[in-house]
């Protein structure tokens, strides 16, 4: 069963708290992604991971960091969350080729108060 | 950097009418990017609708078609006769050599019965 799982689905945090968003995939995909989606802005790439401990910044990495210690797990960390990081976060994975399909999770809606 | 511009929504059409959602791209990191259309149905995650990796070729799926036009840098999505079940958000996207996938802002399609 090809699946990308994101936890949690909904999260409310206070400004300054640390946030951990987790993503898992069961397809042994090499490449994984974190995007955020805001109204009127579409999906913006935060980080891309090419494999374990091989991560690269996307278009909006500021305020975020990632961790990938196992191929099937990719975490997004917000150290001291800010209100402007309120958004819906999507994780995706792919086999890793230039034309490969991305498989998305259902998203995590994060609210930072 | 690379970018994708698509029809701003929402777009409302009646069932059995034709549809076109415009998409143009700007690619600075790659001469001929891979082009994709993704769709998000209500309550579901994003999923691939179709992709084309060769300029001049056409992709099709579920009655939708899109042709990769390198002269006009366009990848418009068309359907001859829409159905109510096509109501969704459609995203045009391009992929570069670094496996990064850049998305447009999305077009919300409402199909009236």
């Amino acid at each position: 069963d090809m699946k990308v799982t994101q936890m949690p689905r909904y999260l409310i945090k206070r400004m300054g708290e640390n946030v951990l968003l987790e993503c898992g995939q069961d397809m042994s995909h090499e490449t994984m992604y974190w995007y955020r989606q805001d109204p009127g802005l579409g999906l913006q790439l935060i980080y891309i991971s090419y494999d374990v401990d091989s991560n690269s910044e996307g278009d909006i990495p500021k305020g975020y960091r990632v961790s990938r210690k196992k191929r099937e797990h990719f975490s997004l960390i917000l150290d001291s969350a800010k209100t402007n990081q309120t958004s819906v976060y999507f994780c995706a994975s792919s086999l890793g080729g230039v034309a490969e399909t991305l498989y998305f999770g259902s998203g995590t809606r994060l609210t930072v108060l | 950097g690379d970018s994708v511009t698509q029809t701003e929504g929402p777009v409302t059409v009646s069932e059995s009418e034709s549809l076109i959602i415009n998409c143009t791209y700007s690619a600075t990191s790659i001469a001929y990017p891979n082009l994709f259309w993704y769709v998000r149905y209500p309550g579901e995650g994003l999923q691939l609708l179709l992709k084309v990796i060769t300029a001049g070729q056409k992709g099709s799926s579920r009655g939708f078609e899109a042709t990769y036009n390198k002269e006009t840098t366009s990848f418009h999505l068309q359907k001859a006769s829409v159905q109510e079940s096509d109501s969704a958000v459609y995203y045009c996207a391009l992929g570069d050599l670094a496996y990064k996938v850049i998305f447009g802002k999305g077009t919300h399609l409402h199909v009236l019965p």
Side-chain angles (χ1 to χ4, degrees):
Chain A
D1 190 21
M2 301 188 332
K3 204 169 184 180
V4 176
T5 304
Q6 289 185 239
M7 297 294 289
R9 290 295 307 275
Y10 301 92
L11 187 60
I12 299 175
K13 288 286 192 178
R14 297 200 176 277
M15 192 170 57
E17 291 185 328
N18 298 330
V19 178
L20 173 65
L21 303 184
E22 309 228 55
C23 176
Q25 48 99 358
D26 61 4
M27 298 168 277
S28 297
H29 283 171
E30 288 184 352
T31 306
M32 296 187 74
Y33 306 76
W34 276 107
Y35 287 90
R36 66 176 280 178
Q37 181 170 33
D38 301 292
L41 290 181
L43 282 87
Q44 298 174 273
L45 180 63
I46 306 172
Y47 267 94
I48 181 172
S49 174
Y50 298 102
D51 210 329
V52 172
D53 285 330
S54 179
N55 307 316
S56 180
E57 295 180 346
D59 297 321
I60 53 163
K62 188 176 179 182
Y64 303 94
R65 61 184 175 92
V66 292
S67 175
R68 191 159 178 212
K69 298 301 182 184
K70 293 183 178 180
R71 178 171 280 191
E72 61 269 24
H73 289 129
F74 190 34
S75 300
L76 181 69
I77 302 130
L78 289 66
D79 295 315
S80 188
K82 300 173 181 52
T83 55
N84 62 8
Q85 292 178 307
T86 292
S87 187
V88 181
Y89 292 85
F90 288 98
C91 175
S93 72
S94 79
L95 279 171
V98 293
E100 292 298 332
T101 299
L102 267 61
Y103 294 84
F104 281 86
S106 300
T108 293
R109 185 176 293 275
L110 171 66
T111 302
V112 182
L113 302 175
Chain B
D2 301 338
S3 65
V4 174
T5 303
Q6 61 181 101
T7 300
E8 285 197 25
V11 172
T12 302
V13 296
S14 296
E15 207 166 26
S16 78
E17 287 186 344
S18 63
L19 169 73
I20 181 165
I21 299 176
N22 291 328
C23 172
T24 57
Y25 66 88
S26 172
T28 57
S29 64
I30 180 173
Y32 299 112
N34 303 297
L35 299 177
F36 308 83
W37 278 100
Y38 281 82
V39 59
R40 184 163 54 135
Y41 297 104
E44 300 182 17
L46 276 86
Q47 57 185 276
L48 179 71
L49 179 60
L50 57 87
K51 67 179 175 183
V52 179
I53 63 173
T54 304
Q57 298 296 308
K58 180 170 70 177
S60 60
S61 174
R62 306 178 207 178
F64 288 89
E65 294 181 339
T67 299
Y68 188 158
N69 189 321
K70 64 181 174 64
E71 283 78 27
T72 59
T73 63
S74 66
F75 191 54
H76 306 319
L77 183 68
Q78 301 183 74
K79 190 171 187 182
S81 176
V82 296
Q83 301 171 331
E84 192 176 357
S85 58
D86 293 326
S87 295
V89 183
Y90 293 82
Y91 296 88
C92 185
L94 71 82
D96 69 11
L97 291 173
Y99 305 174
K100 293 182 180 179
V101 181
I102 307 301
F103 287 82
K105 294 182 180 181
T107 301
H108 205 147
L109 172 66
H110 295 283
V111 180
L112 302 175

